[in-house]
Amino acid sequence: MKKEVIHQLHKNFEDCARQKDGVEYWLARELQVLLGYKEWRNFDLVIDKAKVACEKAGQAVLDHFVDVNKMVELGSQSQREVEDIALTRYACYLIAQNGDPRKDAVAFAMTYFAVQTRKQELIETRMAEWERLRAREKLTLSQKELSGVLFERGIDSPGFSRILSRGDAALFGGLTTQGMKQRLAVPDSRPLADFLPTITIKAKDFANEITNTQVKQQDLQGEPGISREHIKNNRDVRKLLTQRDIVPEDLPAAEDAKKLERRLKSEAQKLPRLTPKLGRKRR
């Protein structure tokens, strides 16, 4: 997500934050707009899912989702009372978790409400970490899909591994998968992708997607032909990166994706304990 998008979303969410007795909260109808939901009935379904998640986590729903009423302006300059819900940070986090992650605002909200500080630079760092994990998950899916397509064309597991390694050699300037693992000090038992930076993970995923499409469109058969296609696609992706002064094999190793995932999940699990309850003063 671009920095300017994060900046604008951060401002939007900050502008809607409220406080009562030292406890910060957001109103559901304002959060609905922030998260890009046009109709309340659709957003209300997301809130219901969030309440179920809250209960399953052993938290009291009424501590985090508090029914309130507020007056809204009508077109005739009159006012009408509507039902709303005051939401703690934890409630907002659960709503974001159950929202549509394809929406930029929802993806941002998952991070914004997961961290205890609202400083933009720390949220940007956390967003980058989540983006890397999502990219890693997508690479796993594209690799699995490619494996299935190749299996239908007579490529067994060893053959699939050889094709991937040849693709890596094309992407990393001649360095095979094993060569890159040695270069980045990746343990033999771990996948190389778990230690690659986001840009390289996305590059591998993009090459997989192209190969997958080309194998289907051209009905490629057998290891030699499919291998040539995958090498070409990785070489083309490498060319695109190097033209922008990004040399994949020269990028430093990133934090172990499994370790990063555990850390982020651990922080999220602490959120309900660290979030003050609505209607109770913070001690």
Side-chain angles (χ1 to χ4, degrees):
M1 193 180 296
K2 293 183 178 179
K3 190 169 183 177
E4 53 267 30
V5 175
I6 295 176
H7 175 78
Q8 185 58 55
L9 288 170
H10 183 269
K11 182 179 184 303
N12 294 345
F13 279 78
E14 287 289 285
D15 288 346
C16 287
R18 300 165 182 258
Q19 278 210 355
K20 179 182 179 182
D21 296 331
V23 179
E24 60 183 357
Y25 70 95
W26 287 258
L27 291 175
R29 290 187 182 272
E30 293 179 347
L31 186 64
Q32 171 198 345
V33 176
L34 289 175
L35 296 184
Y37 285 86
K38 294 182 179 180
E39 297 188 17
W40 172 256
R41 61 180 179 177
N42 293 333
F43 190 60
D44 197 29
L45 294 176
V46 180
I47 294 175
D48 287 342
K49 292 179 182 178
K51 288 180 177 178
V52 172
C54 182
E55 192 171 10
K56 286 184 176 179
Q59 299 295 311
V61 173
L62 294 180
D63 281 342
H64 298 280
F65 300 78
V66 179
D67 292 334
V68 296
N69 292 316
K70 72 174 184 180
M71 303 300 295
V72 295
E73 297 286 342
L74 301 177
S76 58
Q77 296 185 338
S78 59
Q79 291 186 328
R80 177 169 64 90
E81 190 175 61
V82 297
E83 295 179 350
D84 208 339
I85 308 171
L87 307 164
T88 65
R89 172 176 289 273
Y90 180 56
C92 293
Y93 169 74
L94 292 177
I95 289 171
Q97 267 202 325
N98 285 278
D100 184 353
R102 293 171 298 180
K103 297 175 182 286
D104 278 349
V106 173
F108 172 83
M110 288 178 64
T111 292
Y112 178 84
F113 291 116
V115 296
Q116 285 300 297
T117 176
R118 280 153 46 184
K119 290 184 178 179
Q120 185 178 329
E121 60 271 21
L122 297 180
I123 292 174
E124 287 176 4
T125 299
R126 177 69 174 259
M127 285 289 296
E129 292 173 337
W130 274 117
E131 182 180 3
R132 179 166 172 256
L133 286 183
R134 287 197 298 270
R136 179 66 183 96
E137 291 170 3
K138 189 171 182 300
L139 174 59
T140 297
L141 293 175
S142 69
Q143 209 156 280
K144 181 181 288 187
E145 183 180 1
L146 182 59
S147 174
V149 170
L150 299 196
F151 181 77
E152 294 173 354
R153 286 160 171 75
I155 308 296
D156 58 12
S157 293
F160 181 60
S161 296
R162 288 192 294 269
I163 290 172
L164 289 185
S165 188
R166 290 168 188 151
D168 279 350
L171 179 64
F172 294 114
L175 288 168
T176 62
T177 306
Q178 188 59 37
M180 279 301 299
K181 289 176 76 170
Q182 292 174 353
R183 189 182 185 96
L184 299 181
V186 175
D188 288 338
S189 60
R190 298 294 306 284
L192 170 63
D194 280 352
F195 296 83
L196 293 176
T198 305
I199 185 67
T200 317
I201 294 174
K202 289 185 175 181
K204 284 172 63 66
D205 178 57
F206 186 40
N208 284 350
E209 295 283 6
I210 299 174
T211 301
N212 192 19
T213 300
Q214 293 295 83
V215 168
K216 293 175 183 177
Q217 287 184 346
Q218 300 177 24
D219 193 23
L220 299 177
Q221 302 287 333
E223 185 176 332
I226 294 174
S227 185
R228 283 194 296 272
E229 178 64 32
H230 196 53
I231 289 170
K232 177 182 180 299
N233 295 332
N234 276 276
R235 190 174 289 141
D236 288 346
V237 172
R238 173 184 174 81
K239 182 179 179 181
L240 183 66
L241 292 174
T242 54
Q243 284 176 343
R244 289 158 177 75
D245 297 323
I246 301 172
V247 183
E249 64 271 22
D250 289 346
L251 298 177
E255 181 182 359
D256 179 355
K258 294 298 182 185
K259 181 180 178 183
L260 173 60
E261 184 177 23
R262 288 194 298 269
R263 175 164 60 80
L264 295 184
K265 284 184 177 179
S266 175
E267 291 175 4
Q269 288 170 354
K270 295 175 183 176
L271 186 58
R273 291 190 288 105
L274 298 174
T275 301
K277 311 302 186 291
L278 279 170
R280 301 182 185 182
K281 292 186 179 181
R282 196 192 322 233
R283 295 182 178 179

